[in-house]
Amino acid sequence: MSPQPCTERLLQLVQTKLHLLEQLHTFSLQQADWIATQETEELLRCLSRKNEILDSLQTVQAEMQSYASQPAEQRIWASPEQRKACQQMLAKIEQRLTSLLQLDQHAVETMQESRDLIASQLTQVASAGVLAQAYQGSSSEAFASSAQLNLEG
């Protein structure tokens, strides 16, 4: 029995999806580094590249969706080894997706912490500016009052 061309294409799609997820993983690790070092330009380039990969992944996923309606038992493979290889790649895909979700969640948390720290620092700077203005205003008034006393006395 010869394999159906659809199983060959399915295998190619699974391989492509795994490859794209591996690329995403690499960029997610770089993203974490750029966030930690606060390299905004590099972070934006990394996010742009991740977005391109996600677009490709979406295209692959859409094509894979057509196989979801066919029961796996009805697919005819070139060999049991090929079917097993496909199953192993699917398991790796699930592991990689879990890892990517964890990396992205950590990146979001790190960026939120950084945002909160910057907001706190800005609040402190603003408060210090208000205090400085208030102090300068009261110092000028005190100086003017003492100058008047010296002139009168």
Side-chain angles (χ1 to χ4, degrees), residues 39-51:
E39 295 284 339
T40 307
E41 270 186 53
E42 294 298 329
L43 176 60
L44 290 175
R45 272 189 228 131
C46 180
L47 291 172
S48 175
R49 185 65 183 117
K50 279 181 70 175
N51 207 28

Side-chain angles (χ1 to χ4, degrees), residues 6-151:
C6 70
T7 56
E8 293 294 326
R9 181 64 185 144
L10 178 59
L11 183 61
Q12 290 171 350
L13 290 169
V14 170
Q15 289 169 331
T16 301
K17 183 174 181 176
L18 181 58
H19 177 72
L20 290 169
L21 290 173
E22 293 294 340
Q23 287 181 334
L24 266 180
H25 185 261
T26 299
F27 281 104
S28 290
L29 292 173
Q30 289 177 357
Q31 175 183 335
D33 290 341
W34 297 134
I35 290 169
T37 59
Q38 298 181 351
E39 295 284 339
T40 307
E41 270 186 53
E42 294 298 329
L43 176 60
L44 290 175
R45 272 189 228 131
C46 180
L47 291 172
S48 175
R49 185 65 183 117
K50 279 181 70 175
N51 207 28
E52 292 169 10
I53 294 169
L54 286 170
D55 288 344
S56 297
L57 192 58
Q58 190 174 21
T59 301
V60 169
Q61 190 63 34
E63 191 174 344
M64 286 180 74
Q65 192 62 37
S66 65
Y67 293 92
S69 62
Q70 181 188 25
E73 310 81 49
Q74 291 181 0
R75 294 188 193 119
I76 301 171
W77 295 88
S79 68
E81 292 80 20
Q82 188 183 51
R83 181 179 183 158
K84 185 169 177 80
C86 189
Q87 289 170 334
Q88 289 172 340
M89 282 188 280
L90 288 169
K92 285 181 185 178
I93 285 170
E94 290 303 315
Q95 291 171 348
R96 187 54 69 205
L97 284 170
T98 300
S99 175
L100 283 167
L101 289 173
Q102 291 170 345
L103 283 171
D104 283 349
Q105 181 61 36
H106 180 71
V108 166
E109 290 168 2
T110 302
M111 288 175 50
Q112 287 173 337
E113 288 170 7
S114 186
R115 178 204 61 203
D116 293 346
L117 177 63
I118 291 169
S120 173
Q121 290 171 344
L122 287 172
T123 301
Q124 289 173 357
V125 167
S127 296
V130 168
L131 286 174
Q133 286 178 345
Y135 180 73
Q136 286 175 344
S138 65
S139 292
S140 298
E141 291 170 13
F143 178 73
S145 296
S146 68
Q148 256 184 338
L149 289 175
N150 286 338
L151 291 175

